[in-house]
Amino acid sequence: MKRYVDNFKHLSLNQVFDDATVDACIIILEKQQYRKMQPTQVLYNNSIHLDQNLFGSSSWVFNDNQILEIKNKVENAGIKIKQLKGLKITWGIKTGLNDAFIINERQKNLLLEKNIRNREIIKPVLRGKDIGRYMLDYKNKYLINTKYDLDIKNKYPDIYEYLLPYKERLMSRSDQGKEWYNLRSSNIYEELEAPKILFAEIINTTPNRPKFYYDEQEYYIEATGFMINNYDNYKLLLAILNSTISMFYIKLIGSTLNTNGIRYKKIFLKEFPIIKNGNDTIIKEINGYIEKIKSINTFDKFNISLENLIKYHEKIDNVNIYAERIDKLVCQLYKINKEEYIKMLESLELGYKKEFDSSNMLITLDHEVRMSYVEKLSIQLSREKFKEEHVSKGKSIEKIANQYGFEYETVALLRRMYTEQLEPDEKVKYYEPSKLFESINCKVNDTVFYLMVKNSEYISLGDIKHILENKLNNFEDIITTCRTIDDKIRGVEIASKALNSEAYTWNAYRKAKQKGKVNKTFIKYYDNQYYGLAEWSDEIHKKYFLDAFKKYTESNPNEKKAKDLLKLFKDLDIEDKQDYIELMEEKIERTFN
């Protein structure tokens, strides 16, 4: 088209419509000389002059000349991913109904208790949102891999029974296998169980970073993620894909979400240029950092302790520090200089870092220089200010680094400087505690869940506290740990917060059930002091309502609550419901009139 166009004008209108998820864009192309427009109103976010020579026969990118020059430099440095022999980019498994096929740890354990053979088709699965930059945040989800024609009914009868309540919804899938319980036809199972790079398509965090992870643990990936197979040098490829260059390039040629989100769509990723033969010394250094990242263990959610929380954050720090160093090395491979690197960061809203002042080159600072920047940061970010930003406000170290204009390593070292002489109970006050509470919630909820499954009976919050004291040998230690962070917290509050993190209110549960979207474990009943399981039938829930109704008509009369319970009771799907309703209406009449 370029050879037919004498003049063009590009108007990019950011978030013109409040409800829109993409930005508006107007491009005006003309064969003749530009004619002056008379719009009612034009709001300019930015105005740029473009060199027409930068536009070739391939797709066009509208940006300032320096950005386009960097883009061309990247393109000239390597060959496109789609030209790499043998490499495959594959979408994850499309189940058609994740509610049925993706289960949690507790559901998996119950199926294995029934028959250990069920393990054969229950596979750990990741979603796109579980994948981070060199890291995973695995949520203990599992895929029931029924494949295209596996005879589940006869070979895995317990799993067949588990899937049976979903039969109607599974039969309505447009793409399914031989039987209603089978998955669609797929040829990716060998690739899933081989070493691979996993990645999330949608990147929409603050600050934004690519999310590619090298997997050797045979994780499955569902349809919100992708995998890359059949490439020899995974370490170098992983480093390049997780780089600022990668995100800069994909944002230029691809599609975006709102003002900052990026989509690593397969069609755009295949256009990204990969260096095949670079400086051997740099590549060796990159590979060394990738090996260090691989050696860092994941968070042990079963170890509920202050020391474990601190170790978790230290591991996160180390991964991000290595990622920052790898990023600069990748830029060296592509021969990107400091000014170009800064320009890329600014275009991605990652900002200028004060450490760039120390050298004309993109290098990793030596310890003495680095600590001089730690001292500079400490003037802006005192001990109390750091705790306020990170612990009270819950900002990640990366967010704080971006906010104050320093590299991640500088902020991480500042925390180490503040905590190096402290005992664990004081040191932990500098570490955002959500991961610790996530572990506590998991431990508490596991204990309560298995007891409810065994007894099929609702439990009061007070009873739950006593159960935890008896069933969990370390519950007092858990309370002590929590009081290090919140000195007023009590055991009953720990239990309540844990259960509520996975609980519906009764009304929310009924709405979710009507939609066939029940994905929480517990139900918090009418008076907020009693809990049951969301998987129970209404026949089991019935006992709570009858007991609560008796309480509010006999031992603790309350007309409003009795009538509320009767109204909720009428919604249950139980035998002899009308008989119960008539008796309850008579009881209200006798008690309150």
Side-chain angles (χ1 to χ4, degrees):
M1 186 184 288
K2 172 187 166 185
R3 56 200 176 106
Y4 296 109
V5 177
D6 291 331
N7 227 310
F8 60 80
K9 194 172 188 70
H10 171 243
L11 302 178
S12 181
L13 311 172
N14 290 340
Q15 207 66 28
V16 175
F17 307 105
D18 292 338
D19 295 333
T21 57
V22 294
D23 300 329
C25 175
I26 301 171
I27 299 174
I28 302 166
L29 302 172
E30 290 187 335
K31 171 62 181 169
Q32 54 190 314
Q33 289 298 311
Y34 175 66
R35 298 191 308 273
K36 188 174 181 180
M37 297 174 61
Q38 298 294 333
T40 305
Q41 184 182 27
V42 177
L43 303 177
Y44 287 96
N45 300 92
N46 206 342
S47 179
I48 55 175
H49 295 280
L50 301 172
D51 182 351
Q52 197 169 4
N53 293 326
L54 289 170
F55 298 95
S57 58
S58 59
S59 60
W60 293 358
V61 174
F62 294 92
N63 219 302
D64 70 46
N65 288 328
Q66 188 181 358
I67 291 288
L68 296 179
E69 286 168 2
I70 298 170
K71 173 180 177 285
N72 288 344
K73 190 173 189 177
V74 171
E75 289 173 339
N76 293 331
I79 65 172
K80 295 179 179 180
I81 284 180
K82 67 183 180 183
Q83 297 171 320
L84 296 175
K85 188 176 180 180
L87 184 144
K88 291 176 62 179
I89 302 176
T90 312
W91 212 327
I93 291 177
K94 298 177 182 178
T95 70
L97 188 62
N98 283 354
D99 290 345
F101 290 109
I102 294 182
I103 61 177
N104 61 32
E105 183 85 20
R106 299 176 195 124
Q107 291 165 323
K108 180 207 76 168
N109 289 340
L110 291 176
L111 288 171
L112 296 188
E113 283 178 15
K114 291 179 179 179
N115 192 333
I116 195 65
R117 189 164 173 259
N118 291 331
R119 185 191 300 273
E120 297 169 358
I121 61 168
I122 297 178
K123 305 292 183 179
V125 68
L126 298 167
R127 301 156 297 177
K129 63 184 178 182
D130 301 328
I131 303 169
R133 191 186 190 198
Y134 297 109
M135 292 180 286
L136 292 180
D137 186 17
Y138 178 48
K139 297 298 186 181
N140 294 81
K141 299 290 186 180
Y142 298 86
L143 175 78
I144 299 175
N145 184 16
T146 59
K147 297 189 177 179
Y148 175 74
D149 57 0
L150 199 58
D151 184 0
I152 299 297
K153 185 174 183 179
N154 293 308
K155 291 186 176 180
Y156 304 96
D158 301 307
I159 289 177
Y160 176 83
E161 290 296 324
Y162 173 81
L163 292 173
L164 203 53
Y166 297 97
K167 182 176 180 178
E168 185 176 339
R169 294 169 66 196
L170 289 171
M171 289 180 71
S172 68
R173 290 177 297 158
S174 60
D175 194 0
Q176 60 190 34
K178 185 177 179 181
E179 299 289 345
W180 59 265
Y181 49 69
N182 290 124
L183 294 169
R184 62 186 296 205
S185 178
S186 177
N187 60 357
I188 66 171
Y189 294 115
E190 285 188 16
E191 283 94 345
L192 284 166
E193 296 180 2
K196 56 191 175 292
I197 291 176
L198 301 173
F199 68 96
E201 178 188 312
I202 295 175
I203 313 297
N204 198 19
T205 54
T206 305
N208 257 347
R209 288 294 185 184
K211 300 180 186 296
F212 290 81
Y213 173 80
Y214 180 59
D215 168 45
E216 295 179 303
Q217 305 301 315
E218 300 185 4
Y219 283 106
Y220 278 42
I221 181 78
E222 60 88 56
T224 57
F226 287 78
M227 62 181 173
I228 300 174
N229 294 89
N230 303 337
Y231 188 70
D232 294 336
N233 194 345
Y234 276 113
K235 293 175 187 175
L236 180 59
L237 181 62
L238 180 68
I240 292 172
L241 292 175
N242 268 324
S243 70
T244 297
I245 292 175
S246 154
M247 191 163 66
F248 165 81
Y249 190 85
I250 297 298
K251 185 174 182 180
L252 278 180
I253 70 166
S255 56
T256 58
L257 299 167
N258 298 324
T259 56
N260 199 37
I262 300 171
R263 296 188 71 180
Y264 271 80
K265 296 186 75 171
K266 179 179 175 180
I267 189 174
F268 302 124
L269 185 59
K270 289 169 73 173
E271 298 295 321
F272 181 59
I274 299 292
I275 286 205
K276 287 219 65 176
N277 299 306
N279 183 298
D280 289 342
T281 303
I282 295 174
I283 292 174
K284 184 177 181 181
E285 195 171 352
I286 288 172
N287 290 343
Y289 282 126
I290 296 293
E291 282 297 325
K292 287 182 178 180
I293 289 173
K294 284 175 61 180
S295 70
I296 295 174
N297 296 324
T298 55
F299 181 63
D300 180 4
K301 70 172 185 176
F302 299 107
N303 181 356
I304 299 172
S305 67
L306 302 179
E307 291 81 1
N308 193 39
L309 176 66
I310 293 168
K311 285 179 182 178
Y312 164 75
H313 280 282
E314 288 174 347
K315 290 171 183 177
I316 298 297
D317 284 351
N318 287 334
V319 169
N320 283 312
I321 288 169
Y322 296 147
E324 213 164 52
R325 295 178 184 179
I326 290 170
D327 202 44
K328 294 177 183 177
L329 291 169
V330 169
C331 284
Q332 291 176 34
L333 280 181
Y334 281 82
K335 299 188 177 358
I336 297 294
N337 60 41
K338 188 180 86 168
E339 288 71 26
E340 292 167 332
Y341 186 55
I342 292 168
K343 185 70 175 178
M344 287 193 297
L345 290 175
E346 290 174 344
S347 76
L348 296 168
E349 301 182 22
L350 294 173
Y352 185 88
K353 310 300 179 188
K354 294 179 176 63
E355 292 88 344
F356 295 157
D357 297 338
S358 63
S359 172
N360 292 324
M361 300 175 63
L362 277 178
I363 57 172
T364 298
L365 304 182
D366 63 40
H367 184 70
E368 185 176 340
V369 176
R370 175 69 67 186
M371 291 310 296
S372 71
Y373 283 98
V374 173
E375 290 294 335
K376 290 177 183 178
L377 177 58
S378 68
I379 296 170
Q380 299 179 56
L381 199 59
S382 66
R383 287 176 178 270
E384 292 307 313
K385 184 68 175 175
F386 177 88
K387 286 192 285 186
E388 179 188 344
E389 295 278 18
H390 182 51
V391 179
S392 301
K393 295 182 179 179
K395 293 181 182 177
S396 67
I397 297 297
E398 191 169 18
K399 274 190 179 180
I400 294 171
N402 208 45
Q403 177 182 337
Y404 285 84
F406 285 86
E407 292 183 328
Y408 188 106
E409 186 168 355
T410 300
V411 183
L413 288 175
L414 177 69
R415 174 164 61 186
R416 291 183 193 179
M417 184 179 79
Y418 284 157
T419 61
E420 59 186 352
Q421 300 300 324
L422 300 178
E423 294 298 321
D425 59 339
E426 285 298 316
K427 189 174 183 177
V428 77
K429 294 177 181 178
Y430 290 81
Y431 292 86
E432 197 278 314
S434 61
K435 206 69 180 178
L436 176 65
F437 287 118
E438 185 181 312
S439 297
I440 291 171
N441 291 350
C442 184
K443 190 72 173 177
V444 168
N445 291 345
D446 282 353
T447 303
V448 176
F449 171 78
Y450 292 122
L451 186 70
M452 285 184 172
V453 168
K454 180 181 178 181
N455 295 338
S456 294
E457 189 171 346
Y458 70 89
I459 310 177
S460 73
L461 190 57
D463 287 340
I464 288 171
K465 175 181 175 291
H466 295 307
I467 289 164
L468 293 172
E469 289 171 343
N470 293 326
K471 295 281 185 180
L472 288 181
N473 295 329
N474 63 340
F475 189 62
E476 284 301 320
D477 294 335
I478 290 174
I479 295 173
T480 302
T481 299
C482 290
R483 284 178 178 163
T484 304
I485 298 164
D486 180 356
D487 58 6
K488 296 180 181 179
I489 200 165
R490 298 175 300 141
V492 70
E493 291 176 280
I494 293 171
S496 175
K497 285 182 178 181
L499 290 164
N500 290 343
S501 70
E502 293 187 50
Y504 288 108
T505 62
W506 179 259
N507 287 335
Y509 160 69
R510 299 309 280 188
K511 289 177 182 177
K513 189 173 182 180
Q514 284 177 355
K515 295 176 181 178
K517 294 280 186 181
V518 177
N519 50 27
K520 292 186 178 182
T521 302
F522 301 105
I523 297 169
K524 183 165 57 173
Y525 289 117
Y526 169 75
D527 51 11
N528 295 329
Q529 292 298 310
Y530 295 88
Y531 290 82
L533 291 182
E535 67 179 44
W536 283 344
S537 68
D538 283 358
E539 287 290 347
I540 298 177
H541 294 309
K542 176 181 72 176
K543 187 175 189 309
Y544 161 76
F545 285 98
L546 294 178
D547 289 349
F549 182 81
K550 183 177 180 180
K551 172 183 175 182
Y552 292 123
T553 54
E554 295 182 10
S555 60
N556 186 19
N558 186 311
E559 184 177 4
K560 180 183 182 304
K561 290 185 177 182
K563 288 181 176 179
D564 285 346
L565 285 163
L566 174 58
K567 183 179 178 181
L568 296 174
F569 187 87
K570 289 178 179 179
D571 187 45
L572 296 181
D573 182 14
I574 58 174
E575 294 182 6
D576 303 323
K577 182 168 70 172
Q578 191 57 41
D579 292 342
Y580 282 110
I581 290 172
E582 290 174 3
L583 290 171
M584 293 168 79
E585 288 174 339
E586 290 173 8
K587 188 73 174 283
I588 290 174
E589 182 69 24
R590 288 198 310 271
T591 304
F592 300 107
N593 293 320

